[in-house]
């Protein structure tokens, strides 16, 4: 009996120690550690509207970002968040609090990002969020901060094109605009939905799907990297991305939009793009970022996901 | 109270066909997984109980590896790891991955269930069978199997229910079973309470029905002297 | 170790394993406390209470853990009564606690009922009330019988923490997957998926195997006592 008591005590102690260690461990929260920053330090602070009161009180942003979507939101070799979206979020921390560390990141997936925002776990989501009519009824969008185009990734030997998708299996990420578009417009195709873009690439490589329909920036990176895969010439669903904000959270919307307008005026998005896209691909994407003379608009009133080619 | 008021019954009603499609896939995979794990359990359980050389050790390693690793990692290993074996990639159909992974998992647990069941069959029963002139295989088929399988029934039923529940993890590789269908539906409709309460109710209905059914069978099959 | 493996191992052990153990620790402590309490209450002969606890046990044992975690993480926050926002780690831990406590409650009921009635009567004769009787006499004895299933539960919970990766927790499995993705998308583009998934299986085996052996050992000791 005594020995058993000792075993119990040891187990409880071990559990408690793990719990305490976990809470104290730096790895528990994705800390905003050193990472390449694209945005230069501006000596003069821009005039921005007042921060939302809870963000101001907390003295840092809580932002949902992708962790599986290079080069927008991913985990770098040292285990830190990085990418285009992450650096936009870090720029918000600098603009709000003067330090790029004043932000805690939460990893979100395509299907979990809107629920994560709506349940108040984060202040905003900067997570490759394409504007759609259905989403804009659930949450508010900031002004656009990127514009993506849909492309098809296929094996080199494949003859699949946008016009010949009947009977084929199309893979994309769950909750992506391409999933809705496929179920609306390609009723003769099979739709396979997975939780991360990498799993979708694997599905094409392993023959479980004929093509991966997705954002150009991600696919171009894959196609240049992988000698067995290529992009078809088709381009579709050119719709800008916005930052997701809870419905009616006007204070946050006002601040975020002012910050984005400021970054656009200073042409900061190009610098962030250059810091994240491979040098030889930057040229292809210069038109995808907001610039002083490069404006985007959401297709408000049009349900793009049900307009078929 | 607003939860009740804003609950959209119509939405669930409209999407019953989607749930039904997903449920059919779940039941199909579960049926193959349960059948397969029954076969694995009998064969490897017998090998363990009768100490058949080589097969006994292979079965022991199989059981320990599967029972001490998460099934979700096993699923990813089969779906994404085997395809990347340097030199000899193994590529499987999604449906094959689905039933194979739940079957391998259930088979390991069932091997243990049946081993315990067969070992609980009194030695004198088998001696009697052999004395009657039955061969070793015939003794197993006519004596050890019917009695041992009944002893193993309660624990193997738990394994079958777990196999059914584990099919939900196939969501992770995008296999369109019940949970995957619901998850995709939610990601486009943004109605988490409707979708997941309906999903939970469907699982409880299936799991409780399955449990009740097998309990019925169990009662009919129970060993008379244990009654 | 090859060049690619060093940062991967570092990331998986520092971030992934620590999150895995953290969720497991919350889940084990929570499941044990709630489960022992509910299991003890289940032995009281008061029908409405028994029915209520039975329902709790049957629901959370009947649902796949993934579905429970989806309910907790995605559906629960839409209920207006929930004002507190909890993160993905807490969501996963709560889901595991609901499942684990149902298992423990069932095991506790069995353990408490296996204590002979004479023990209850003797304790009552000594002047103990219901709470004192259970705290000082019945539960310490029942706990001995409960120990093997609790150790098995710990092994099971550690394995099931991987489900947290599906709601975005960067636990051990997720850190492995993020590493595979990073390796696949950066030159030379080899994902090493086979090696990383195999390492994940090995890591979980090393944690779980000693625990399941310990459970078997404790079970045998119990029988021989």
């Amino acid at each position: 009996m005594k020995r058993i008591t000792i075993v119990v005590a040891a187990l409880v102690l071990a559990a408690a120690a793990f719990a305490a260690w976990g809470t104290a461990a730096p790895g528990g929260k994705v800390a905003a550690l050193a990472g390449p920053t694209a945005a230069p330090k501006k000596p003069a602070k821009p005039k921005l509207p007042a921060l939302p009161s809870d963000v101001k009180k907390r003295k840092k942003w809580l932002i949902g970002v992708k962790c599986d979507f290079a080069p927008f939101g991913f985990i770098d070799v040292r285990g830190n968040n990085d990418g285009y979206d992450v650096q936009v979020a870090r720029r918000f921390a600098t603009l709000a609090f003067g330090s790029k560390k004043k932000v805690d990141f939460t990893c979100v997936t395509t299907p979990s990002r809107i629920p994560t925002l709506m349940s108040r776990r984060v202040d905003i989501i900067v997570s490759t969020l394409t504007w759609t009519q259905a989403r804009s009824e659930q949450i508010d969008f900031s002004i656009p901060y990127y514009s993506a185009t849909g492309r098809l990734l296929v094996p080199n030997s494949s003859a699949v094109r946008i016009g010949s998708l009947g009977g084929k299996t199309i893979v994309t990420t769950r909750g992506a605009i391409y999933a809705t578009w496929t179920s609306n417009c390609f009723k003769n195709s099979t739709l396979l939905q997975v939780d991360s873009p990498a799993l979708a690439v694997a599905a094409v490589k392993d023959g479980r799907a004929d093509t991966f329909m997705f954002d150009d920036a991600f696919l171009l990176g894959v196609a240049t990297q992988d000698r067995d895969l290529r992009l078809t010439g088709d381009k579709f669903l050119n719709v800008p991305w916005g930052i997701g904000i809870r419905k009616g959270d006007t204070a946050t919307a006002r601040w975020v939009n002012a910050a984005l307008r400021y970054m656009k005026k200073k042409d900061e998005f190009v610098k962030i793009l250059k810091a994240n896209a491979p040098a030889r691909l930057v040229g292809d994407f210069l038109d995808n970022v907001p610039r002083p003379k490069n404006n985007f608009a959401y297709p408000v009133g049009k349900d793009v996901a049900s307009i078929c080619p | 109270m607003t939860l009740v008021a804003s609950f959209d019954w119509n939405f669930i009603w409209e999407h019953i066909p989607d749930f039904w499609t997903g449920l059919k896939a779940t039941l199909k995979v579960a049926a193959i997984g349960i059948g397969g794990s029954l076969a694995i359990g009998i064969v490897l359980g017998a090998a363990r109980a009768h100490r058949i050389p080589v097969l006994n050790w292979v079965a022991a390693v199989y059981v320990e590896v599967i029972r001490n690793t998460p099934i979700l990692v096993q699923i990813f290993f089969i779906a994404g790891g085997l395809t990347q074996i340097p030199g000899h990639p193994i590529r499987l159909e999604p449906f094959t991955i689905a039933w194979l992974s739940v079957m391998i998992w259930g088979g390991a647990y069932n091997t243990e269930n049946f081993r315990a069941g067969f070992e609980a069959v009194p030695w004198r029963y088998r001696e009697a069978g052999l004395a009657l002139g039955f061969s070793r295989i015939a003794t197993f088929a006519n004596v050890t199997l019917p009695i041992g399988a009944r002893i193993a029934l309660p624990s193997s039923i738990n394994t079958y229910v777990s196999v059914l529940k584990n099919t939900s993890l196939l969501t992770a590789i995008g296999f369109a079973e019940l949970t995957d269908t619901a998850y995709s539906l939610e990601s486009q409709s943004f109605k988490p309470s409707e979708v997941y309460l309906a999903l939970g109710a469907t699982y409880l209905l299936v799991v409780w029905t399955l449990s009740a059914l097998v309990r019925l069978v169990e009662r009919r099959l129970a060993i008379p002297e244990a009654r | 170790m090859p060049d690619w493996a060093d940062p991967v191992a570092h990331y998986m052990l520092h971030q992934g394993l620590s999150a895995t153990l953290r969720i497991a620790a919350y889940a084990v402590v929570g499941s044990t406390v709630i489960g022992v309490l509910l299991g003890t209450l289940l032995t009281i002969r008061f029908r409405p209470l028994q029915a209520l606890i039975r329902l709790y046990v049957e629901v959370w044992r009947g649902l796949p853990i993934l579905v429970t975690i989806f309910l907790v993480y995605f559906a629960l926050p839409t209920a207006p009564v929930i004002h507190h926002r909890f993160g993905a780690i807490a969501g996963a831990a709560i889901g595991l606690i609901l499942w684990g406590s149902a298992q423990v409650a069932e095991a506790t009921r069995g353990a408490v009922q296996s204590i002979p009635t004479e023990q209850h009567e003797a304790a009552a004769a000594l002047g103990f009330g219901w709470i004192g009787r259970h705290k000082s006499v019945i539960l310490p004895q029942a706990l001995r019988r409960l120990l093997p299933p609790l150790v098995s539960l710990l092994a099971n919970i550690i394995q099931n923490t991987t489900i947290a990766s599906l709601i975005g927790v960067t636990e051990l499995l997720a850190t492995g997957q993020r590493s595979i993705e990073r390796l696949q998308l950066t030159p030379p583009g080899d994902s090493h998926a086979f090696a990383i998934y195999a390492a994940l299986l090995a890591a979980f085996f090393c944690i779980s195997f000693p625990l399941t052996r310990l459970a078997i050992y404790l079970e045998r000791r119990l029988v021989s006592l």
Side-chain angles (χ1 to χ4, degrees):
Chain A
M1 184 63 211
K2 208 177 214 169
R3 240 191 282 174
I4 287 173
T5 322
I6 293 171
V7 174
V8 178
L11 280 176
V12 170
L13 270 179
F18 280 146
W21 173 47
T23 323
K29 280 238 166 65
V30 186
L33 289 174
T37 349
K41 293 226 157 51
K42 295 277 171 204
K45 262 186 117 182
K47 257 189 92 69
L48 291 172
L51 277 167
S53 56
D54 46 341
V55 178
K56 192 173 181 182
K57 218 183 300 159
R58 197 192 306 122
K59 293 198 176 63
K60 67 177 163 197
W61 284 102
L62 300 180
I63 297 181
V65 291
K66 290 281 182 73
C67 292
D68 56 7
F69 197 124
F72 290 90
F74 62 98
I75 304 288
D76 73 7
V77 70
R78 276 173 305 187
N80 300 318
N81 294 71
D82 204 355
Y84 181 95
D85 286 359
V86 171
Q87 291 187 8
V88 169
R90 289 226 167 94
R91 187 73 185 116
F92 283 3
T94 317
L95 288 172
F97 303 107
S99 161
K100 65 182 183 208
K101 294 182 184 172
K102 296 284 185 186
V103 51
D104 276 350
F105 291 116
T106 297
C107 289
V108 293
T109 59
T110 301
S112 82
R113 59 191 168 184
I114 290 177
T116 302
L117 174 71
M118 284 165 67
S119 57
R120 313 185 70 83
R121 290 176 177 110
V122 293
D123 301 316
I124 53 175
I125 46 174
V126 189
S127 55
T128 71
L129 186 71
T130 308
W131 183 94
T132 68
Q133 187 71 43
R135 285 176 188 155
S136 72
E137 284 160 16
Q138 299 293 325
I139 57 170
D140 286 339
F141 279 77
S142 72
I143 59 171
Y145 75 102
Y146 186 79
S147 185
T149 301
R151 300 289 296 264
L152 294 176
L153 182 77
V154 294
N156 279 339
S157 55
S158 168
V160 168
R161 289 189 62 91
I162 198 81
S164 63
L165 286 172
K168 302 283 188 243
T169 299
I170 303 168
V171 64
T172 190
T173 58
R174 201 191 303 278
I177 184 172
Y178 306 106
T180 323
W181 196 54
T182 298
S183 39
N184 285 339
C185 297
F186 301 95
K187 294 195 197 302
N188 294 327
S189 311
T190 309
L191 174 63
L192 175 65
Q193 300 190 62
V194 292
D195 287 340
S196 81
L199 286 172
V201 174
V204 173
K205 285 181 71 104
D206 300 346
R208 279 177 277 136
D210 296 295
T211 180
F212 177 19
M213 184 189 285
F214 210 54
D215 297 319
D216 51 356
F218 180 84
L219 292 186
L220 206 56
V222 174
T224 43
Q225 182 59 48
D226 196 312
R227 264 170 289 156
D228 304 329
L229 301 171
R230 65 177 176 87
L231 295 187
T232 68
D234 308 295
K235 293 185 179 178
F236 43 85
L237 285 182
N238 184 350
V239 184
W241 293 355
I243 289 165
I245 301 164
R246 271 187 295 279
K247 264 248 170 295
D249 188 356
T250 45
T252 303
R254 206 176 303 133
W255 192 93
V256 166
N257 283 336
L260 290 176
R261 267 194 293 270
Y262 172 79
M263 291 167 73
K264 178 172 181 279
K265 200 175 78 190
K266 297 282 177 190
D267 211 6
E268 289 184 13
F269 291 107
V270 165
K271 292 183 191 112
I272 296 179
L273 178 75
K274 283 179 178 160
N276 287 288
R280 63 184 185 289
L281 295 182
V282 166
D284 294 339
F285 290 101
L286 284 177
D287 288 342
N288 289 26
V289 297
R291 307 191 64 177
K293 285 184 180 156
N294 193 9
N295 298 303
F296 303 125
Y298 298 128
V300 179
K302 269 193 285 183
D303 187 4
V304 282
S306 53
I307 300 172
C308 300
Chain B
M1 287 308 105
T2 32
L3 174 69
V4 182
S6 68
F7 198 84
D8 191 348
W9 290 102
N10 238 348
F11 177 82
I12 296 180
W13 188 247
E14 279 167 24
H15 288 93
I16 282 182
D18 294 325
F19 277 94
W20 176 236
T21 314
L23 180 61
K24 277 191 292 191
T26 290
L27 293 177
K28 206 161 134 191
V29 171
I32 300 175
I34 289 171
S37 59
L38 174 67
I40 295 176
I42 291 175
V43 173
L44 296 187
R48 295 277 286 134
H50 296 295
R51 309 267 189 285
I52 296 172
V54 186
L55 199 53
N56 177 20
W57 306 316
V58 174
V61 172
Y62 160 66
V63 167
E64 293 302 335
V65 168
I66 297 301
R67 298 214 308 173
N68 287 299
T69 53
I71 179 170
L72 190 55
V73 182
Q74 293 164 18
I75 292 172
F76 279 122
F77 182 76
I78 295 171
L82 294 184
T83 57
Q84 302 295 319
I85 302 176
H88 297 279
I90 300 172
R91 296 196 169 128
L92 301 168
E93 291 285 307
F95 184 67
T96 314
I97 297 171
W99 63 258
L100 193 65
S101 52
V102 295
M103 185 185 83
I104 291 175
W105 185 92
Y109 279 78
N110 230 7
T111 299
E112 268 311 276
N113 299 335
F114 278 94
R115 181 192 61 77
F118 294 148
E119 282 178 354
V121 176
W123 178 238
R124 58 196 155 89
Y125 288 16
R126 278 173 57 201
E127 274 181 331
L130 293 169
L132 284 171
F134 282 140
S135 69
R136 284 186 57 175
I137 290 179
T139 308
F140 175 77
N142 291 300
V143 180
T144 316
L145 180 62
I147 303 174
R150 286 173 180 185
I151 300 173
L153 200 59
S155 54
S156 59
I157 284 168
N158 283 335
T159 299
Y160 303 141
V161 174
S162 296
V163 166
L164 176 84
K165 292 196 290 176
N166 279 339
T167 58
S168 67
L169 295 175
L170 297 168
T171 301
I173 56 163
F175 180 76
E177 43 69 64
L178 185 56
T179 308
D180 181 90
T181 310
Y183 197 16
S184 296
L185 190 60
E186 197 273 330
S187 72
Q188 285 174 20
S189 65
F190 312 110
K191 289 192 177 299
S193 35
E194 284 84 353
V195 171
Y196 293 128
L197 286 177
L199 177 68
T202 313
Y203 270 109
L204 287 181
L205 192 73
V206 174
V207 166
W208 287 349
T209 311
L210 182 69
S211 308
L213 268 179
V214 286
R215 226 168 281 149
L216 211 73
V217 176
E218 189 185 358
R219 214 165 296 151
R220 295 210 55 168
L221 286 181
I223 301 166
E225 66 180 9
R227 227 176 239 170
Chain C
M1 236 184 344
D3 272 353
W4 64 266
D6 221 34
V8 170
H10 186 266
Y11 173 52
M12 287 173 68
L13 292 177
H14 276 79
Q15 185 143 334
L17 188 62
S18 86
T20 290
L21 295 177
R22 203 168 133 202
I23 301 170
Y26 294 149
V28 164
V29 173
S31 304
T32 308
V33 171
I34 297 173
V36 167
L37 187 71
L38 290 180
T40 313
L41 291 176
L42 200 53
T43 59
I44 302 177
R45 278 178 221 287
F46 179 55
R47 277 297 159 86
L49 181 70
Q50 279 187 331
L52 214 63
I53 299 175
R54 270 267 135 240
L55 184 70
Y56 176 94
V57 170
E58 292 303 327
V59 166
W60 302 122
R61 275 205 328 176
L63 286 177
I65 300 174
L66 176 61
V67 176
T68 306
I69 290 180
F70 277 178
L71 272 168
V72 169
Y73 188 67
F74 292 131
L76 190 61
T78 61
V81 272
I82 311 294
H83 294 301
H84 185 73
R85 62 173 175 204
F86 49 84
I89 286 190
I94 295 170
L96 286 170
I97 288 173
L98 290 171
W99 170 79
S101 60
Q103 307 283 338
V104 175
E106 191 59 26
T108 306
R109 184 192 56 82
V112 168
Q113 284 179 344
S114 73
I115 308 295
T117 25
E118 290 84 4
Q119 297 275 345
H120 285 267
E121 288 160 3
L126 286 170
F128 281 111
W130 190 89
I131 290 176
R133 198 160 77 216
H134 279 81
K135 206 181 77 183
S136 315
V137 181
I138 307 300
L139 280 181
Q141 297 185 65
L143 192 64
R144 209 168 64 185
R145 286 164 208 267
L146 208 53
L147 201 55
L150 279 183
V151 174
S152 302
L153 179 81
L154 175 61
N156 264 322
I157 280 183
I158 290 176
Q159 293 182 18
N160 285 327
T161 54
T162 51
I163 300 175
S165 68
L166 297 180
I167 55 167
V169 177
T170 35
E171 46 63 72
L172 196 51
L173 171 58
T175 52
Q177 291 185 307
R178 296 297 90 81
S179 302
I180 290 171
E181 286 158 9
R182 182 177 56 72
L183 289 166
Q184 188 188 329
L185 292 173
T186 48
D190 186 347
S191 72
H192 299 284
F194 180 72
I196 290 176
Y197 283 128
L200 274 169
L201 288 173
F204 277 104
F205 186 86
C206 291
I207 300 171
S208 178
F209 185 69
L211 288 172
T212 49
R213 297 319 290 184
L214 177 66
I216 293 170
Y217 166 78
L218 292 170
E219 183 84 64
R220 289 214 180 112
R221 264 184 59 112
L222 204 63
V223 174
S224 65
L225 274 175

